[in-house]
Amino acid sequence: MVAQTKPRIARSDTAAREAVRAVVLAGVMAASRGWVPATSGNFSARIDERLIAITATGTDKGALRDEDVPIVPIDGERHPRVSAEAPLHYALYRAMPDARMVMHVHSMNATLASLRLAGDGRVAIEGLELLKAFRGIRTHETRIEIPVFANTQDVDALASTMIAETVGRPGVHGFLLEGHGLYAWGRDPAEAWRHLEAFDHLFALRLELRRLSP
Ligand SMILES: [Zn+2]
């Protein structure tokens, strides 16, 4: 029995360390882009079916250290060190067993897109090559619709609405909060970052196109 227990603990420790490192790296990279001003944004990575590593509230994401990334359960239990927005992360991991990383930023492009590009509660993007950055999309001749939800401090209610509008919808790998920012996720840290970066760039393109030809 001992021989079986030891490797399981070792794997779990490795998974926890890797998740914490993925969160730290994502935070530092997002900060370098100016996407998480004034300690905003949060990042999480799955450890197993029950636990995630997630940024502590109020931390400068450009100066994240391993100890700024507590390990918490996704069962909805409140944790004193994590952001008020953590329930959105928990809900996404519970609803999507294959999600390994969730990223949330307050980037200028995402926030402007939520305020100026939304129609019918969605931002539609079509005909652009970078759409192929999203998992499952093979051609620019496609259209995605990113849900935009009203910002609220009632995060539990938002989590229920958000899950109903995003999970299981083809081509939906993120959502916007109005006047607030962007959430994106992926099956591993690289995919989540690629989705985040693609969203930001596509929003920038749409905003610039609108400016050039209103
Ligand atoms: Zn936020």
Side-chain angles (χ1 to χ4, degrees), residues 167-205:
V167 173
R169 307 257 172 145
V172 175
H173 301 292
F175 64 89
L176 288 163
L177 291 177
E178 196 175 22
H180 179 157
L182 166 69
Y183 276 79
W185 50 82
R187 290 179 174 178
D188 56 51
E191 183 179 89
W193 180 260
R194 195 178 75 237
H195 288 165
L196 192 76
E197 201 171 30
F199 275 130
D200 193 81
H201 189 75
L202 289 164
F203 294 147
L205 279 173

Side-chain angles (χ1 to χ4, degrees), residues 65-178:
R65 303 158 303 165
D66 289 3
E67 52 267 42
D68 299 322
V69 185
I71 290 168
V72 302
I74 59 170
D75 61 8
E77 187 182 301
R78 297 285 176 186
H79 187 286
R81 289 190 68 203
V82 305
S83 156
E85 290 183 59
L88 297 177
H89 292 245
Y90 304 156
L92 286 165
Y93 287 111
R94 287 200 302 264
M96 294 188 293
D98 61 349
R100 304 293 303 180
M101 185 132 206
V102 176
M103 302 187 178
H104 168 52
V105 297
H106 290 202
S107 77
M108 176 81 79
N109 292 325
T111 309
L112 285 172
S114 76
L115 293 167
R116 289 290 180 267
L117 299 181
D120 259 351
R122 303 190 180 288
V123 173
I125 297 177
E126 56 190 330
L128 293 168
E129 179 68 11
L130 200 62
L131 285 165
K132 288 159 60 182
F134 294 107
R135 175 164 42 85
I137 295 181
R138 304 255 182 278
T139 170
H140 67 284
E141 293 178 305
T142 192
R143 172 188 172 96
I144 63 167
E145 294 187 346
I146 301 110
V148 184
F149 302 107
N151 198 27
T152 174
Q153 305 306 318
D154 185 352
V155 179
D156 291 326
L158 172 61
S160 314
T161 311
M162 178 274 290
I163 291 296
E165 294 282 320
T166 57
V167 173
R169 307 257 172 145
V172 175
H173 301 292
F175 64 89
L176 288 163
L177 291 177
E178 196 175 22

